[in-house]
Protein backbone atom coordinates (compact mmCIF):
# COMPACT_ATOMS: atom_id res chain seq x y z
CA UNK A 1 0.00 0.00 0.00
CA UNK A 2 0.95 3.63 -0.13
CA UNK A 3 1.17 6.29 2.56
CA UNK A 4 0.12 9.82 1.69
CA UNK A 5 0.30 13.36 3.04
CA UNK A 6 -2.23 16.13 2.48
CA UNK A 7 -0.90 19.69 2.90
CA UNK A 8 -3.93 21.07 4.78
CA UNK A 9 -4.71 21.16 8.48
CA UNK A 10 -6.27 18.27 10.39
CA UNK A 11 -9.56 18.21 12.29
CA UNK A 12 -12.80 16.35 12.85
CA UNK A 13 -15.72 16.79 10.51
CA UNK A 14 -19.48 16.79 10.90
CA UNK A 15 -20.53 14.90 7.82
CA UNK A 16 -23.65 16.99 7.24
CA UNK A 17 -22.52 20.11 5.33
CA UNK A 18 -23.99 22.71 3.00
CA UNK A 19 -20.58 23.93 1.77
CA UNK A 20 -19.95 23.74 -1.93
CA UNK A 21 -17.31 21.54 -3.55
CA UNK A 22 -15.11 24.37 -4.87
CA UNK A 23 -12.65 21.91 -6.50
CA UNK A 24 -15.23 20.47 -8.88
CA UNK A 25 -13.95 20.51 -12.48
CA UNK A 26 -11.05 22.85 -11.65
CA UNK A 27 -7.64 22.56 -13.26
CA UNK A 28 -5.55 19.70 -11.90
CA UNK A 29 -2.02 18.29 -12.34
CA UNK A 30 -0.28 14.93 -12.01
CA UNK A 31 3.52 15.00 -11.67
CA UNK A 32 4.17 11.54 -13.07
CA UNK A 33 1.17 10.37 -15.14
CA UNK A 34 0.61 6.65 -15.47
CA UNK A 35 2.07 5.55 -18.82
CA UNK A 36 -0.45 4.65 -21.47
CA UNK A 37 -0.64 0.96 -22.33
CA UNK A 38 -3.13 -0.88 -24.60
CA UNK A 39 -4.94 -2.34 -21.62
CA UNK A 40 -5.09 1.00 -19.78
CA UNK A 41 -5.61 4.12 -21.96
CA UNK A 42 -4.42 7.42 -20.43
CA UNK A 43 -7.95 8.87 -20.05
CA UNK A 44 -8.67 6.15 -17.46
CA UNK A 45 -5.93 7.52 -15.13
CA UNK A 46 -5.56 11.25 -15.97
CA UNK A 47 -5.39 13.93 -13.26
CA UNK A 48 -8.81 15.46 -14.02
CA UNK A 49 -10.60 12.26 -13.00
CA UNK A 50 -10.02 13.21 -9.36
CA UNK A 51 -12.14 16.41 -9.66
CA UNK A 52 -14.81 15.36 -12.16
CA UNK A 53 -17.44 14.69 -9.45
CA UNK A 54 -17.63 10.99 -10.36
CA UNK A 55 -16.96 8.43 -7.61
CA UNK A 56 -19.32 5.54 -8.30
CA UNK A 57 -16.65 3.23 -9.74
CA UNK A 58 -13.43 3.32 -7.69
CA UNK A 59 -11.52 0.76 -9.74
CA UNK A 60 -8.53 1.38 -11.97
CA UNK A 61 -10.59 0.65 -15.08
CA UNK A 62 -13.61 2.72 -14.03
CA UNK A 63 -12.21 5.93 -15.61
CA UNK A 64 -13.05 7.95 -12.48
CA UNK A 65 -9.67 7.83 -10.70
CA UNK A 66 -6.30 9.55 -11.18
CA UNK A 67 -3.26 7.35 -10.91
CA UNK A 68 0.46 8.18 -11.00
CA UNK A 69 3.23 6.22 -12.70
CA UNK A 70 5.18 3.42 -11.08
CA UNK A 71 8.75 3.36 -9.73
CA UNK A 72 8.97 7.02 -8.61
CA UNK A 73 10.38 8.40 -5.38
CA UNK A 74 7.46 10.80 -5.00
CA UNK A 75 4.00 11.33 -6.38
CA UNK A 76 2.34 14.76 -6.41
CA UNK A 77 -1.13 15.76 -7.52
CA UNK A 78 -2.80 19.17 -7.08
CA UNK A 79 -5.92 21.11 -7.94
CA UNK A 80 -6.04 24.87 -8.63
CA UNK A 81 -9.10 26.58 -7.09
CA UNK A 82 -8.32 29.61 -9.39
CA UNK A 83 -8.22 32.06 -6.45
CA UNK A 84 -7.67 32.13 -2.72
CA UNK A 85 -10.89 30.80 -1.18
CA UNK A 86 -12.12 29.86 2.28
CA UNK A 87 -11.80 26.09 2.79
CA UNK A 88 -13.80 24.23 5.38
CA UNK A 89 -12.93 20.60 4.86
CA UNK A 90 -11.50 18.19 2.31
CA UNK A 91 -12.72 14.72 1.39
CA UNK A 92 -10.61 12.20 -0.52
CA UNK A 93 -11.89 9.02 -2.18
CA UNK A 94 -9.11 6.50 -2.73
CA UNK A 95 -9.08 3.78 -5.36
CA UNK A 96 -10.44 0.70 -3.56
CA UNK A 97 -11.31 -1.50 -6.53
CA UNK A 98 -14.87 -1.07 -5.16
CA UNK A 99 -14.13 -2.99 -1.98
CA UNK A 100 -15.52 -1.79 1.35
CA UNK A 101 -12.88 -0.12 3.51
CA UNK A 102 -13.20 0.92 7.10
CA UNK A 103 -10.93 3.29 9.00
CA UNK A 104 -10.51 6.60 10.86
CA UNK A 105 -9.99 10.18 9.81
CA UNK A 106 -6.33 11.17 9.47
CA UNK A 107 -4.15 14.09 8.24
CA UNK A 108 -0.77 12.61 7.54
CA UNK A 109 -0.36 8.91 7.30
CA UNK A 110 2.68 7.49 9.03
CA UNK A 111 1.29 4.18 10.23
CA UNK A 112 -1.63 3.03 8.08
CA UNK A 113 -1.70 -0.56 6.95
CA UNK A 114 -3.70 -2.05 4.15
CA UNK A 115 -6.38 -3.02 6.61
CA UNK A 116 -6.63 0.34 8.38
CA UNK A 117 -6.34 2.95 5.62
CA UNK A 118 -9.78 4.50 4.98
CA UNK A 119 -11.46 4.33 1.62
CA UNK A 120 -12.84 7.85 2.11
CA UNK A 121 -10.60 10.33 3.89
CA UNK A 122 -11.94 13.53 5.50
CA UNK A 123 -10.07 16.36 7.17
CA UNK A 124 -11.33 19.72 8.41
CA UNK A 125 -9.15 22.67 7.40
CA UNK A 126 -10.63 26.12 8.16
CA UNK A 127 -7.94 27.95 6.18
CA UNK A 128 -7.69 29.97 3.00
CA UNK A 129 -5.81 28.76 -0.03
CA UNK A 130 -5.73 28.31 -3.77
CA UNK A 131 -3.90 25.01 -4.31
CA UNK A 132 -4.79 21.75 -2.59
CA UNK A 133 -1.89 19.35 -2.97
CA UNK A 134 -1.88 15.62 -2.43
CA UNK A 135 1.64 14.34 -1.92
CA UNK A 136 3.14 10.91 -1.45
CA UNK A 137 6.82 9.98 -1.20
CA UNK A 138 9.39 7.34 -0.46
CA UNK A 139 12.41 9.09 1.00
CA UNK A 140 15.79 7.43 1.11
CA UNK A 141 16.98 6.51 4.58
CA UNK A 142 13.44 6.34 6.01
CA UNK A 143 12.05 3.05 7.35
CA UNK A 144 8.44 2.45 6.32
CA UNK A 145 6.00 -0.27 7.57
CA UNK A 146 6.46 -3.68 6.03
CA UNK A 147 3.39 -3.57 3.79
CA UNK A 148 4.21 -0.13 2.29
CA UNK A 149 4.97 -0.11 -1.41
CA UNK A 150 8.56 0.29 -2.51
CA UNK A 151 7.75 3.33 -4.69
CA UNK A 152 5.36 6.22 -4.13
CA UNK A 153 2.19 6.56 -6.16
CA UNK A 154 -1.27 7.98 -5.80
CA UNK A 155 -4.64 6.50 -6.67
CA UNK A 156 -7.24 9.23 -6.22
CA UNK A 157 -10.73 8.67 -7.48
CA UNK A 158 -12.08 11.98 -6.22
CA UNK A 159 -10.79 14.85 -4.13
CA UNK A 160 -13.45 17.26 -2.92
CA UNK A 161 -12.74 20.64 -1.34
CA UNK A 162 -15.68 22.19 0.47
CA UNK A 163 -15.86 25.90 1.26
CA UNK A 164 -17.21 29.28 0.14
CA UNK A 165 -16.92 30.00 -3.59
CA UNK A 166 -16.62 33.77 -3.04
CA UNK A 167 -14.03 35.35 -0.71
CA UNK A 168 -15.16 37.78 2.02
CA UNK A 169 -18.12 35.70 3.24
CA UNK A 170 -18.67 33.10 5.94
CA UNK A 171 -21.41 30.96 7.51
CA UNK A 172 -23.00 27.66 6.58
CA UNK A 173 -24.42 29.16 3.41
CA UNK A 174 -21.47 31.53 2.77
CA UNK A 175 -23.91 34.46 2.75
CA UNK A 176 -22.64 36.57 5.68
CA UNK A 177 -20.02 39.24 4.84
CA UNK A 178 -16.90 39.27 6.97
CA UNK A 179 -17.51 41.89 9.73
CA UNK A 180 -14.30 43.91 9.41
CA UNK A 181 -14.12 45.95 6.15
CA UNK A 182 -10.33 45.67 5.92
CA UNK A 183 -10.36 41.96 6.72
CA UNK A 184 -9.20 39.93 3.76
CA UNK A 185 -10.21 36.52 5.10
CA UNK A 186 -12.47 35.62 7.95
CA UNK A 187 -13.09 32.29 9.63
CA UNK A 188 -15.56 30.32 7.53
CA UNK A 189 -17.63 29.40 10.60
CA UNK A 190 -17.16 32.29 13.10
CA UNK A 191 -16.28 35.25 10.88
CA UNK A 192 -13.22 36.09 12.95
CA UNK A 193 -10.59 37.92 10.89
CA UNK A 194 -7.83 35.60 9.73
CA UNK A 195 -5.86 38.10 7.74
CA UNK A 196 -5.97 41.82 6.85
CA UNK A 197 -6.24 43.25 3.40
CA UNK A 198 -2.92 44.52 2.04
CA UNK A 199 -2.09 47.93 3.47
CA UNK A 200 -3.65 47.39 6.89
CA UNK A 201 -2.83 45.64 10.12
CA UNK A 202 -4.10 45.26 13.70
CA UNK A 203 -6.59 43.00 15.42
CA UNK A 204 -9.48 44.42 13.41
CA UNK A 205 -7.26 45.56 10.48
CA UNK A 206 -7.96 49.16 11.40
CA UNK A 207 -4.35 50.43 11.23
CA UNK A 208 -2.80 51.55 7.94
CA UNK A 209 0.76 50.52 7.11
CA UNK A 210 3.36 53.04 8.31
CA UNK A 211 5.18 55.21 5.79
CA UNK A 212 7.59 53.16 3.70
CA UNK A 213 5.77 49.83 4.11
CA UNK A 214 3.02 48.08 2.19
CA UNK A 215 1.31 44.81 1.43
CA UNK A 216 -0.01 41.92 3.45
CA UNK A 217 0.62 42.54 7.16
CA UNK A 218 2.73 45.61 6.13
CA UNK A 219 5.88 43.49 5.92
CA UNK A 220 7.10 44.78 2.52
CA UNK A 221 9.34 47.84 2.29
CA UNK A 222 8.91 50.48 -0.39
CA UNK A 223 11.78 50.79 -2.82
CA UNK A 224 14.39 53.17 -1.40
CA UNK A 225 14.36 55.08 -4.70
CA UNK A 226 10.68 55.82 -4.13
CA UNK A 227 9.54 58.99 -2.36
CA UNK A 228 6.65 57.08 -0.82
CA UNK A 229 4.62 54.13 -2.02
CA UNK A 230 1.04 52.96 -1.96
CA UNK A 231 0.42 50.99 1.24
CA UNK A 232 -1.57 48.36 -0.64
CA UNK A 233 0.51 47.46 -3.70
CA UNK A 234 3.81 49.30 -3.24
CA UNK A 235 3.41 51.47 -6.36
CA UNK A 236 5.39 54.71 -6.01
CA UNK A 237 2.40 57.01 -6.38
CA UNK A 238 4.23 60.01 -4.90
CA UNK A 239 7.06 59.84 -7.43
CA UNK A 240 10.64 58.66 -7.72
CA UNK A 241 13.85 60.21 -6.56
CA UNK A 242 15.99 61.81 -9.34
CA UNK A 243 17.41 59.27 -11.74
CA UNK A 244 14.72 56.62 -11.35
CA UNK A 245 11.49 55.71 -13.11
CA UNK A 246 8.84 52.99 -13.32
CA UNK A 247 5.88 52.00 -11.17
CA UNK A 248 8.18 50.96 -8.37
CA UNK A 249 11.05 53.35 -9.17
CA UNK A 250 13.30 50.39 -9.87
CA UNK A 251 14.43 51.39 -13.37
CA UNK A 252 17.31 53.78 -14.01
CA UNK A 253 16.80 56.67 -16.42
CA UNK A 254 17.83 55.74 -19.96
CA UNK A 255 19.84 58.47 -21.76
CA UNK A 256 18.19 60.97 -19.46
CA UNK A 257 18.66 61.94 -15.83
CA UNK A 258 17.29 63.93 -12.93
CA UNK A 259 13.77 64.25 -11.50
CA UNK A 260 11.30 62.29 -13.55
CA UNK A 261 14.10 61.45 -16.03
CA UNK A 262 13.21 64.67 -17.84
CA UNK A 263 16.74 66.01 -18.33
CA UNK A 264 18.51 64.98 -21.51
CA UNK A 265 22.08 63.71 -21.22
CA UNK A 266 24.81 65.94 -22.56
CA UNK A 267 27.43 65.09 -25.15
CA UNK A 268 29.31 62.28 -23.44
CA UNK A 269 32.41 60.65 -24.91
CA UNK A 270 31.66 57.81 -27.36
CA UNK A 271 27.92 58.56 -26.94
CA UNK A 272 27.92 56.74 -23.60
CA UNK A 273 24.86 57.39 -21.41
CA UNK A 274 25.34 59.88 -18.62
CA UNK A 275 24.91 59.18 -14.90
CA UNK A 276 21.20 58.65 -14.37
CA UNK A 277 21.04 60.84 -11.26
CA UNK A 278 23.25 63.90 -11.87
CA UNK A 279 23.87 63.69 -15.62
CA UNK A 280 27.66 63.67 -15.36
CA UNK A 281 29.61 61.99 -18.14
CA UNK A 282 31.67 59.29 -16.46
CA UNK A 283 34.19 58.98 -19.32
CA UNK A 284 34.39 62.69 -20.13
CA UNK A 285 32.92 64.85 -22.86
CA UNK A 286 32.70 64.34 -26.59
CA UNK A 287 34.74 66.54 -28.89
CA UNK A 288 33.68 70.17 -28.66
CA UNK A 289 32.04 70.13 -25.23
CA UNK A 290 32.99 70.70 -21.62
CA UNK A 291 31.46 70.82 -18.14
CA UNK A 292 30.33 68.07 -15.76
CA UNK A 293 27.29 67.32 -17.87
CA UNK A 294 29.07 68.15 -21.16
CA UNK A 295 26.35 70.58 -22.14
CA UNK A 296 28.56 73.64 -22.77
CA UNK A 297 30.11 74.08 -26.20
CA UNK A 298 33.75 75.17 -26.51
CA UNK A 299 34.28 78.95 -26.66
CA UNK A 300 36.61 79.97 -29.50
CA UNK A 301 38.17 76.54 -29.30
CA UNK A 302 37.34 73.01 -30.39
CA UNK A 303 38.16 69.33 -30.04
CA UNK A 304 38.49 67.04 -27.01
CA UNK A 305 38.67 69.09 -23.86
CA UNK A 306 38.39 72.27 -25.98
CA UNK A 307 42.19 72.29 -26.16
CA UNK A 308 42.53 73.38 -29.80
CA UNK A 309 42.22 77.16 -30.44
CA UNK A 310 40.13 78.27 -33.39
CA UNK A 311 41.90 79.38 -36.55
CA UNK A 312 41.55 82.71 -38.40
CA UNK A 313 37.86 82.70 -39.24
CA UNK A 314 36.22 85.50 -41.25
CA UNK A 315 35.19 88.52 -39.15
CA UNK A 316 36.73 86.81 -36.09
CA UNK A 317 33.72 84.53 -35.83
CA UNK A 318 34.14 81.43 -33.63
CA UNK A 319 34.85 78.16 -35.34
CA UNK A 320 32.78 74.99 -35.14
CA UNK A 321 33.31 73.72 -31.60
CA UNK A 322 33.60 70.08 -32.66
CA UNK A 323 35.96 70.11 -35.67
CA UNK A 324 37.30 73.67 -35.79
CA UNK A 325 35.99 74.48 -39.26
CA UNK A 326 35.19 78.11 -40.06
CA UNK A 327 31.57 78.09 -41.16
CA UNK A 328 31.75 81.41 -43.06
CA UNK A 329 35.22 80.96 -44.49
CA UNK A 330 38.66 82.25 -43.58
CA UNK A 331 39.93 85.73 -42.86
CA UNK A 332 42.16 87.37 -45.48
CA UNK A 333 45.48 85.64 -45.85
CA UNK A 334 44.44 82.20 -44.58
CA UNK A 335 43.11 78.97 -46.05
CA UNK A 336 42.14 75.40 -45.13
CA UNK A 337 39.18 73.96 -43.19
CA UNK A 338 40.41 75.43 -39.93
CA UNK A 339 41.94 78.57 -41.52
CA UNK A 340 45.29 77.96 -39.87
CA UNK A 341 47.34 77.81 -43.09
CA UNK A 342 48.73 81.03 -44.64
CA UNK A 343 48.35 81.67 -48.35
CA UNK A 344 50.83 80.04 -50.69
CA UNK A 345 53.85 82.15 -51.65
CA UNK A 346 52.90 84.80 -54.22
CA UNK A 347 49.28 85.09 -53.04
CA UNK A 348 47.43 87.03 -50.39
CA UNK A 349 44.03 88.34 -49.32
CA UNK A 350 40.54 86.82 -49.27
CA UNK A 351 40.59 83.16 -50.18
CA UNK A 352 44.24 83.69 -51.21
CA UNK A 353 43.09 84.66 -54.70
CA UNK A 354 45.12 87.88 -55.11
CA UNK A 355 48.63 87.75 -56.55
CA UNK A 356 51.51 89.67 -55.04
CA UNK A 357 52.90 92.57 -57.14
CA UNK A 358 55.43 91.72 -59.81
CA UNK A 359 57.28 94.92 -58.81
CA UNK A 360 58.20 93.71 -55.36
CA UNK A 361 61.96 93.72 -55.00
CA UNK A 362 61.79 89.96 -54.70
CA UNK A 363 59.21 89.28 -57.37
CA UNK A 364 55.78 88.30 -55.93
CA UNK A 365 57.05 88.11 -52.36
CA UNK A 366 54.49 89.86 -50.21
CA UNK A 367 52.67 89.63 -46.88
CA UNK A 368 49.92 86.96 -47.00
CA UNK A 369 47.30 89.26 -45.45
CA UNK A 370 47.99 92.79 -46.76
CA UNK A 371 49.93 92.08 -49.94
CA UNK A 372 52.70 94.53 -48.89
CA UNK A 373 56.04 93.77 -50.46
CA UNK A 374 58.28 92.43 -47.74
CA UNK A 375 61.62 93.77 -49.08
CA UNK A 376 60.56 96.93 -50.86
CA UNK A 377 60.00 97.69 -54.56
CA UNK A 378 61.93 97.45 -57.76
CA UNK A 379 63.34 100.71 -59.28
CA UNK A 380 60.72 103.08 -60.53
CA UNK A 381 57.98 101.73 -58.24
CA UNK A 382 56.76 102.76 -54.88
CA UNK A 383 53.98 102.07 -52.33
CA UNK A 384 53.50 99.25 -49.86
CA UNK A 385 52.43 96.98 -52.65
CA UNK A 386 54.84 98.51 -55.24
CA UNK A 387 52.09 99.33 -57.69
CA UNK A 388 52.73 103.15 -57.82
CA UNK A 389 55.11 104.78 -60.34
CA UNK A 390 57.67 107.01 -58.66
CA UNK A 391 57.21 110.92 -58.95
CA UNK A 392 59.35 113.20 -61.34
CA UNK A 393 61.53 114.52 -58.56
CA UNK A 394 62.20 111.07 -57.42
CA UNK A 395 62.81 110.10 -61.06
CA UNK A 396 65.32 112.97 -61.54
CA UNK A 397 67.33 112.01 -58.54
CA UNK A 398 67.08 108.49 -59.58
CA UNK A 399 68.34 109.21 -63.09
CA UNK A 400 71.03 111.49 -61.65
CA UNK A 401 72.12 108.78 -59.40
CA UNK A 402 72.23 106.35 -62.26
CA UNK A 403 74.19 108.88 -64.36
CA UNK A 404 76.67 109.58 -61.60
CA UNK A 405 77.13 105.96 -61.10
CA UNK A 406 77.66 105.52 -64.82
CA UNK A 407 80.21 108.36 -64.98
CA UNK A 408 82.03 106.97 -62.02
CA UNK A 409 82.25 103.62 -63.68
CA UNK A 410 83.38 105.22 -66.96
CA UNK A 411 86.03 107.28 -65.16
CA UNK A 412 87.37 104.22 -63.50
CA UNK A 413 87.44 102.49 -66.88
CA UNK A 414 89.27 105.42 -68.61
CA UNK A 415 91.84 105.65 -65.84
CA UNK A 416 92.43 101.98 -66.21
CA UNK A 417 93.00 102.44 -69.99
CA UNK A 418 95.42 105.39 -69.48
CA UNK A 419 97.41 103.49 -66.89
CA UNK A 420 97.52 100.58 -69.26
CA UNK A 421 98.76 102.83 -72.15
CA UNK A 422 101.35 104.50 -70.00
CA UNK A 423 102.71 101.17 -69.02
CA UNK A 424 102.89 100.16 -72.65
CA UNK A 425 104.62 103.48 -73.70
CA UNK A 426 107.31 103.03 -71.10
CA UNK A 427 108.06 99.65 -72.42
CA UNK A 428 108.01 101.05 -75.99
CA UNK A 429 110.47 103.85 -75.12
CA UNK A 430 112.85 101.48 -73.55
CA UNK A 431 112.69 99.33 -76.63
CA UNK A 432 113.31 102.35 -78.88
CA UNK A 433 116.48 103.28 -77.01
CA UNK A 434 117.82 99.81 -77.30
CA UNK A 435 117.09 99.75 -80.98
CA UNK A 436 118.87 103.06 -81.58
CA UNK A 437 122.00 101.84 -79.94
CA UNK A 438 121.96 98.85 -82.13
CA UNK A 439 121.55 101.04 -85.24
CA UNK A 440 124.50 103.17 -84.29
CA UNK A 441 126.67 100.17 -83.98
CA UNK A 442 125.38 98.92 -87.28
CA UNK A 443 126.16 102.22 -89.08
CA UNK A 444 129.66 102.30 -87.85
CA UNK A 445 130.16 98.88 -89.07
CA UNK A 446 128.74 99.49 -92.47
CA UNK A 447 127.73 102.96 -93.46
CA UNK A 448 126.46 101.73 -96.78
CA UNK A 449 123.59 99.74 -95.21
CA UNK A 450 120.23 101.48 -95.60
CA UNK A 451 118.65 102.91 -92.38
CA UNK A 452 115.90 100.54 -91.58
CA UNK A 453 114.72 102.53 -88.52
CA UNK A 454 113.84 105.69 -90.35
CA UNK A 455 110.18 104.95 -90.09
CA UNK A 456 110.48 104.21 -86.39
CA UNK A 457 112.42 107.39 -85.84
CA UNK A 458 109.77 109.35 -87.59
CA UNK A 459 107.23 107.70 -85.40
CA UNK A 460 109.35 108.55 -82.43
CA UNK A 461 109.49 112.13 -83.49
CA UNK A 462 105.80 112.23 -83.84
CA UNK A 463 105.59 110.76 -80.37
CA UNK A 464 107.83 113.47 -78.99
CA UNK A 465 105.66 116.21 -80.34
CA UNK A 466 102.42 114.60 -79.18
CA UNK A 467 100.83 116.96 -76.65
CA UNK A 468 98.84 114.30 -74.89
CA UNK A 469 101.92 112.25 -74.46
CA UNK A 470 103.92 115.20 -73.10
CA UNK A 471 101.15 115.84 -70.63
CA UNK A 472 101.17 112.27 -69.54
CA UNK A 473 105.03 112.42 -69.33
Amino acid sequence: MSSAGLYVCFGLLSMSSAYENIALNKSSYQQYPYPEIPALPSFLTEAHNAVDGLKSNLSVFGGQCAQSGNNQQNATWWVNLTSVLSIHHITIYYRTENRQWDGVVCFKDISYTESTIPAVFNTTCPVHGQYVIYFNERSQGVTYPDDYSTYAFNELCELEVFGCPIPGYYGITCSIPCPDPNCRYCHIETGACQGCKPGTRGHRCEIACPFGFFGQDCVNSCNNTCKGCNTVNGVCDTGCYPGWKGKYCHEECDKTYGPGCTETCGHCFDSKPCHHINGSCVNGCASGFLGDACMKACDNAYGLGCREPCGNCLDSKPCDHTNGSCLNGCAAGFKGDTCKEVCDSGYYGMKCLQECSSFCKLSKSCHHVSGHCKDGCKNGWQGMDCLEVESEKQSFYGVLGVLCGSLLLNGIFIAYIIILRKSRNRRSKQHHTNTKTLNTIAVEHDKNVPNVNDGYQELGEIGKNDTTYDVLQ
Side-chain angles (χ1 to χ4, degrees):
M1 64 165 290
S2 168
S3 71
L6 185 66
Y7 285 87
V8 291
C9 61
F10 169 78
L12 297 176
L13 171 67
S14 173
M15 297 308 294
S16 59
S17 173
Y19 292 111
E20 182 180 336
N21 178 12
I22 55 179
L24 184 62
N25 292 320
K26 297 294 176 61
S27 175
S28 57
Y29 166 80
Q30 177 75 267
Q31 182 182 15
Y32 297 111
Y34 195 88
E36 183 173 4
I37 58 176
L40 190 65
S42 61
F43 72 88
L44 294 178
T45 60
E46 62 187 5
H48 180 70
N49 291 345
V51 289
D52 61 359
L54 302 176
K55 48 186 180 290
S56 60
N57 187 347
L58 304 184
S59 68
V60 67
F61 295 104
Q64 298 179 9
C65 301
Q67 184 168 325
S68 65
N70 295 325
N71 304 326
Q72 301 296 333
Q73 294 296 320
N74 55 68
T76 301
W77 176 97
W78 53 248
V79 59
N80 181 3
L81 303 180
T82 69
S83 64
V84 177
L85 300 176
S86 295
I87 299 172
H88 184 268
H89 66 276
I90 297 171
T91 300
I92 299 176
Y93 293 82
Y94 292 106
R95 183 175 69 85
T96 65
E97 293 303 314
N98 296 318
R99 290 178 291 146
Q100 183 66 40
W101 282 22
D102 296 317
V104 297
V105 177
C106 68
F107 169 60
K108 183 175 182 179
D109 172 25
I110 58 174
S111 60
Y112 274 137
T113 65
E114 187 174 359
S115 61
T116 60
I117 188 170
V120 179
F121 172 79
N122 295 280
T123 182
T124 301
C125 293
V127 296
H128 299 84
Q130 180 173 342
Y131 292 90
V132 176
I133 303 172
Y134 176 91
F135 180 75
N136 195 5
E137 67 178 356
R138 290 294 181 272
S139 299
Q140 293 183 354
V142 177
T143 301
Y144 294 94
D146 293 339
D147 57 351
Y148 271 39
S149 61
T150 303
Y151 296 99
F153 60 90
N154 54 50
E155 298 174 324
L156 303 176
C157 291
E158 195 71 23
L159 188 146
E160 298 172 327
V161 180
F162 293 92
C164 294
I166 302 174
Y169 291 86
Y170 75 101
I172 194 69
T173 60
C174 299
S175 59
I176 307 173
C178 294
D180 299 318
N182 290 325
C183 184
R184 186 177 187 184
Y185 309 114
C186 63
H187 194 282
I188 196 169
E189 292 177 332
T190 67
C193 188
Q194 290 183 311
C196 298
K197 291 181 180 179
T200 60
R201 62 178 181 167
H203 181 69
R204 297 176 59 87
C205 304
E206 73 280 9
I207 304 173
C209 293
F211 181 82
F213 294 88
F214 73 97
Q216 188 71 45
D217 299 324
C218 303
V219 297
N220 300 312
S221 298
C222 298
N223 199 322
N224 58 10
T225 58
C226 183
K227 291 182 177 179
C229 70
N230 186 289
T231 58
V232 175
N233 54 28
V235 171
C236 295
D237 46 15
T238 56
C240 305
Y241 283 112
W244 300 91
K245 64 178 182 176
K247 289 175 60 176
Y248 304 99
C249 299
H250 62 292
E251 302 175 47
E252 294 182 358
C253 298
D254 182 24
K255 296 183 180 179
T256 56
Y257 70 98
C261 298
T262 56
E263 299 290 334
T264 303
C265 285
H267 304 271
C268 298
F269 184 71
D270 281 348
S271 299
K272 299 289 185 182
C274 65
H275 192 277
H276 62 285
I277 296 176
N278 57 27
S280 62
C281 291
V282 179
N283 296 321
C285 300
S287 179
F289 295 90
L290 45 75
D292 291 338
C294 301
M295 298 290 286
K296 185 180 179 182
C298 300
D299 182 19
N300 203 30
Y302 69 97
L304 286 174
C306 299
R307 291 188 289 266
E308 294 290 334
C310 286
N312 302 276
C313 298
L314 182 65
D315 296 332
S316 299
K317 297 288 185 182
C319 64
D320 183 274
H321 57 282
T322 58
N323 57 27
S325 62
C326 291
L327 303 180
N328 296 320
C330 302
F334 295 93
K335 65 174 185 173
D337 292 338
T338 58
C339 301
K340 290 186 175 182
E341 303 174 52
V342 300
C343 297
D344 293 335
S345 179
Y347 294 88
Y348 74 99
M350 292 298 300
K351 299 183 180 180
C352 298
L353 296 176
Q354 295 175 273
E355 292 189 50
C356 297
S357 173
S358 299
F359 302 109
C360 292
K361 193 166 186 179
L362 297 177
S363 182
K364 295 188 176 182
S365 176
C366 67
H367 192 274
H368 60 284
V369 176
S370 63
H372 295 169
C373 294
K374 295 179 180 178
D375 301 300
C377 305
K378 291 182 178 179
N379 293 329
W381 300 91
Q382 64 178 1
M384 299 301 293
D385 53 5
C386 299
L387 293 176
E388 302 174 30
V389 178
E390 289 183 331
S391 64
E392 293 182 0
K393 184 177 180 180
Q394 290 174 324
S395 299
F396 169 76
Y397 286 118
V399 172
L400 182 61
V402 173
L403 181 59
C404 291
S406 178
L407 289 175
L408 180 61
L409 292 174
N410 288 336
I412 294 173
F413 179 73
I414 291 173
Y416 172 75
I417 295 299
I418 291 173
I419 292 171
L420 183 61
R421 281 187 176 182
K422 185 176 181 180
S423 176
R424 286 180 178 177
N425 287 338
R426 286 177 180 172
R427 288 197 302 269
S428 176
K429 185 176 180 181
Q430 184 177 1
H431 178 73
H432 178 71
T433 303
N434 293 336
T435 304
K436 191 173 182 180
T437 303
L438 291 173
N439 288 341
T440 303
I441 296 171
V443 169
E444 290 179 352
H445 180 73
D446 190 357
K447 294 182 179 180
N448 296 322
V449 177
N451 190 356
V452 296
N453 292 320
D454 288 344
Y456 179 80
Q457 290 174 347
E458 291 175 0
L459 181 60
E461 291 297 328
I462 294 172
K464 287 181 180 181
N465 295 326
D466 189 279
T467 305
T468 305
Y469 181 78
D470 289 339
V471 173
L472 294 175
Q473 290 293 328

